[in-house]
């Protein structure tokens, strides 16, 4: 896996520290799902302010997908799933980016980053307790990919 772009690292750090003062107590203010691929990490970032974006560790991003109905609805579904699964997640002790074939799921609740980590194949094949949360996150990515190319053209980071 190549070294991460400095702009990506800044966005990642900002996302992991983000808190929504408007979020009701106990409700998720953000979900970040990172997946490790041979060429780098892809990060789905969904925040309670309507942010729905994909960031690529090598540089580039798909921004503002939350402005479109499909990704916005999929993001709301992810927020509901995160509300259900967050109590099963422990506070994050490891914020390292995932290696190839691995997944990090972070849910931000009341200023605490909760996390789950595992193999992408285990999440995808429903072998982990938080597999349903991962699969709802993949629905958000599918909704982003279904947008017309001009809407999803990656922007340089």
């Amino acid at each position: 896996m190549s070294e991460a772009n400095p702009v990506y690292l800044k966005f990642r750090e900002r996302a992991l520290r983000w808190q929504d003062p408007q979020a009701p107590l106990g409700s998720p203010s953000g979900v970040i799902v990172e997946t490790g691929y041979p060429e780098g990490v892809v990060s789905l970032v969904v925040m309670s302010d309507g942010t729905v974006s994909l960031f690529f560790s090598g540089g580039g991003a798909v921004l503002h997908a939350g402005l479109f109905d499909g990704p916005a609805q999929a993001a709301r579904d992810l927020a509901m799933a995160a509300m259900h699964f967050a109590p099963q997640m422990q506070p994050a002790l490891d914020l390292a980016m995932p290696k190839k074939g691995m997944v990090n799921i972070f849910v931000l609740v009341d200023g605490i980053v909760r996390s789950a980590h595992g193999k992408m194949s285990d999440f995808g094949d429903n072998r982990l307790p938080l597999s349903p949360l991962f699969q709802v996150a993949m629905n958000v990515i599918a909704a982003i990919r279904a947008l017309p190319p001009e809407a999803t053209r990656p922007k340089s980071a």
Side-chain angles (χ1 to χ4, degrees):
M1 197 167 8
S2 61
E3 198 164 313
N5 180 296
V7 175
Y8 167 84
L9 293 174
K10 245 186 249 186
F11 276 113
R12 182 180 188 270
E13 181 180 342
R14 187 179 303 156
L16 287 168
R17 290 186 178 177
W18 191 76
Q19 294 181 44
D20 183 354
Q22 308 272 321
L25 197 60
S27 68
S29 59
V31 179
I32 301 157
V33 179
E34 301 178 320
T35 307
Y37 293 98
E39 49 287 328
V41 174
V42 175
S43 298
L44 171 67
V45 177
V46 174
M47 300 296 182
S48 57
D49 68 352
T51 296
V52 180
S53 299
L54 284 173
F55 294 95
F56 306 95
S57 66
V62 177
L63 304 173
H64 310 297
L67 298 175
F68 299 90
D69 290 340
Q73 181 58 55
R76 286 190 292 276
D77 294 344
L78 180 59
M80 294 302 294
M83 175 91 79
H84 174 77
F85 286 101
Q88 299 173 37
M89 301 170 75
Q90 298 299 314
L93 300 176
D94 181 6
L95 296 177
M97 293 191 328
K99 305 237 183 274
K100 180 178 102 173
M102 301 300 288
V103 171
N104 292 338
I105 300 175
F106 299 109
V107 177
L108 313 174
V109 180
D110 300 334
I112 298 170
V113 179
R114 298 182 167 279
S115 67
H117 312 276
K119 291 182 180 177
M120 185 182 340
S121 59
D122 287 343
F123 277 113
D125 291 339
N126 205 28
R127 290 190 289 250
L128 298 173
L130 273 75
S131 288
L133 181 59
F134 173 78
Q135 292 175 4
V136 174
M138 294 303 101
N139 292 342
V140 178
I141 292 173
I144 293 169
R145 292 182 66 179
L147 292 172
E150 61 276 5
T152 62
R153 190 171 297 119
K155 317 242 183 322
S156 294

